[in-house]
Structures are given as structure tokens and as C-alpha cells.
Amino acid sequence: MKNGTQKISRKIDIKKYLLLIVFGFLAAIAIQERTGAERFAGGLLTACLLLAILYRDILRYKPAYFKNYNMLVLLGFMIVSTLLLGRFFEYILVNLARGIGLAPIEITLFGIPIAAGAMLVTLLFDFHTAIVFSFVVSLLSGLWLNSAIFPVYAFVGSLTAAFSVIRCKRRSALLMGGFYVGVIGGVTASILLLFTGEFFSVKAFPTVMFALSSGISVTAVVSVMLPILEYTFKVTTDISLLELLDMEQPLMKNLMITAPGTYHHSVIVGNLV
């Protein structure tokens, strides 16, 4: 009996590791800047290593997620989609800068809303998972951008995004979260410019402006993606639960009119809980 249980457990673990490899493969594709077997192999091994760290962290601190493959798939999807989102915004911002004759082009990278991923993970999972997620995504984004300072900027912005929505109870609170991301992003960009000796150069002002604008992009991305992810992966966030308590909900109105006794009893029981 014990051997049979161990075999089942091993099969489940193999499925989890295969899932890790699949998302590592997808992440490696997302961070490829140039083609080449050697470069891809390095990206794949790096992505799998970072995902293995995330896997062990979840196994140690959030084992409940392993009982729900839906949540594991969602987390892997969040990593890959955040990287692809970054690539998309990089393409848009770089071409925008070229179109208006803005130089140097690399300053546009501070406008990439990488922090949106951490904000979504905090809302869909929890703050602890968002911290490790931020670490993984920040390092992977630095690989695709070939930048030593961008991972610092991305990690600080991601942590700020995660902190800003820990007690988020309304979707309107996402606006304040985006504001915090933009302000802290501007401060972080200024510090990094100071470190690189470019704080008093002509690129300082547009760099800070792009960093501030990233907060707007983060709010927009999270506002659009959150309900889609909630519906697709059947995840109920605190925001969704609190929205059900809105007295303007048709169901609540109908309950108060047709069964007022049941409604008041439910309210009293809910307060006791």
C-alpha cells in the first residue's frame, strides 16, 4: 500500500517537473534577442533554474498550490506573459522613440510595465509568491535586455506594485497602486542614473518621464487582465468577493425585496463569522 502511494506521488512530481520544463522552454523563447542554439540552451537552463527556485519556495511555504494544477499553470502563464508583455511594450516604445527622433533609444526601457505581473500575482495568489515571482522575472528581463541595471529597476518596481495591493479591496485602488509604481520608478531611475554618472545628462529627464509613465501602463494592464484571468482560471480574488456585497448588485436587491428575513439573517451570521 505504501509503495503504491509512493508511485502515485512520484508520478505527480514528474508532472510538476514537466510543467516546470515547459514553462522554462516558453520563458527561454520569450527572452531570446538573437537566434542561436547555444544562446537558446543557456536561456533555457537559466529559466529552468530560476523556475526551480520558485518551485522549491512554493513547495516550502505555499504547498496548498500544489493541490491545484490550475494555480500552477496560472503562475507559469504569468511569468511567460509578463515577459511577452515586456517585449511588446519594448517594441512599441522603441519605435515610438525612433518616430519622434528621441535618443538614446535605451531610455524607453524604463517605460516597460514589468511591475504589472507582480501586482497581478499579489491579487491572484499572495504577497510572498509575488516577491519570488518578481525576483525571477526581473532577472529574466535583464537577460533579454542585456542590461545590468534594469533588473534592479524592475525588481524595485515589482515589489512596489506588490506592496501597493496587499489590502486592495476595490478595483479603483489599482489607480493608487499605479501611482506608487510610477513615483517609485521615477526615484529608482534617478538613483540608477546617478550611479551610472548620467544624472546631469540630457537623457535624465526623458528617462524619469518614461519611468513615471510606467505607472499608468501598469494600472491599465492590470485593470484589463485581472477580470480575464479571474474568469479563465476560475480564481476568486478579494476584490471579486467584496463586489458581491455591493447593494447595487441585482441579486442583492432581489434578495432584500423577496426575502428580507433571509437577507438580515445572512448579514448577522456573516458578521458573527
Side-chain angles (χ1 to χ4, degrees), residues 50-256:
L50 292 174
L51 289 177
I53 294 173
L54 178 61
Y55 174 89
R56 296 302 300 179
D57 181 82
I58 294 174
L59 186 63
R60 173 67 178 83
Y61 295 103
K62 300 292 178 181
Y65 291 145
F66 284 97
K67 298 177 182 178
N68 187 349
Y69 273 99
N70 202 39
M71 296 301 287
L72 294 178
V73 172
L74 174 57
L75 187 57
F77 174 79
M78 286 303 306
I79 292 173
V80 176
S81 62
T82 300
L83 294 171
L84 292 176
L85 177 73
R87 297 299 298 263
F88 172 75
F89 270 87
E90 177 198 16
Y91 176 80
I92 296 296
L93 292 172
V94 167
N95 282 279
L96 176 65
R98 286 174 178 166
I100 62 177
L102 188 64
I105 298 297
E106 62 267 18
I107 65 175
T108 60
L109 302 181
F110 288 90
I112 298 176
I114 287 290
M119 187 178 286
L120 283 169
V121 169
T122 304
L123 294 168
L124 295 168
F125 291 85
D126 57 81
F127 178 68
H128 177 89
T129 304
I131 293 176
V132 188
F133 172 90
S134 301
F135 171 75
V136 172
V137 170
S138 297
L139 291 181
L140 290 175
S141 63
L143 287 178
W144 116 60
L145 292 170
N146 294 312
S147 172
I149 63 172
F150 188 81
V152 177
Y153 172 77
F155 188 62
V156 173
S158 296
L159 287 184
T160 303
F163 270 115
S164 67
V165 294
I166 289 180
R167 293 182 177 84
C168 183
K169 302 301 181 184
R170 296 180 180 178
R171 296 189 191 275
S172 58
L174 300 177
L175 293 171
M176 188 57 66
F179 172 77
Y180 287 136
V181 171
V183 171
I184 299 300
V187 173
T188 305
S190 300
I191 294 172
L192 292 173
L193 286 170
L194 195 62
F195 174 77
T196 57
E198 297 174 307
F199 185 75
F200 297 103
S201 65
V202 292
K203 66 184 288 186
F205 180 74
T207 298
V208 173
M209 288 297 102
F210 273 109
L212 291 172
S213 68
S214 68
I216 300 173
S217 303
V218 166
T219 299
V221 169
V222 174
S223 298
V224 171
M225 291 300 298
L226 183 58
I228 295 174
L229 293 173
E230 285 179 304
Y231 177 79
T232 304
F233 291 92
K234 310 302 179 185
V235 179
T236 304
T237 63
D238 291 342
I239 296 176
S240 298
L241 290 174
L242 288 170
E243 285 178 344
L244 294 175
L245 297 176
D246 187 0
M247 297 305 169
E248 296 301 318
Q249 290 279 351
L251 180 62
M252 296 294 287
K253 285 183 176 181
N254 188 46
L255 182 63
M256 283 187 288

Side-chain angles (χ1 to χ4, degrees), residues 15-75:
K15 288 182 180 179
K16 292 172 183 174
Y17 282 116
L18 285 175
L19 196 64
L20 185 150
I21 294 172
V22 168
F23 282 112
F25 181 83
L26 295 174
I29 294 176
I31 63 174
Q32 289 302 302
E33 189 66 23
R34 297 188 299 273
T35 58
E38 186 177 6
R39 185 178 178 85
F40 178 78
L44 175 60
L45 292 174
T46 302
C48 287
L49 176 62
L50 292 174
L51 289 177
I53 294 173
L54 178 61
Y55 174 89
R56 296 302 300 179
D57 181 82
I58 294 174
L59 186 63
R60 173 67 178 83
Y61 295 103
K62 300 292 178 181
Y65 291 145
F66 284 97
K67 298 177 182 178
N68 187 349
Y69 273 99
N70 202 39
M71 296 301 287
L72 294 178
V73 172
L74 174 57
L75 187 57

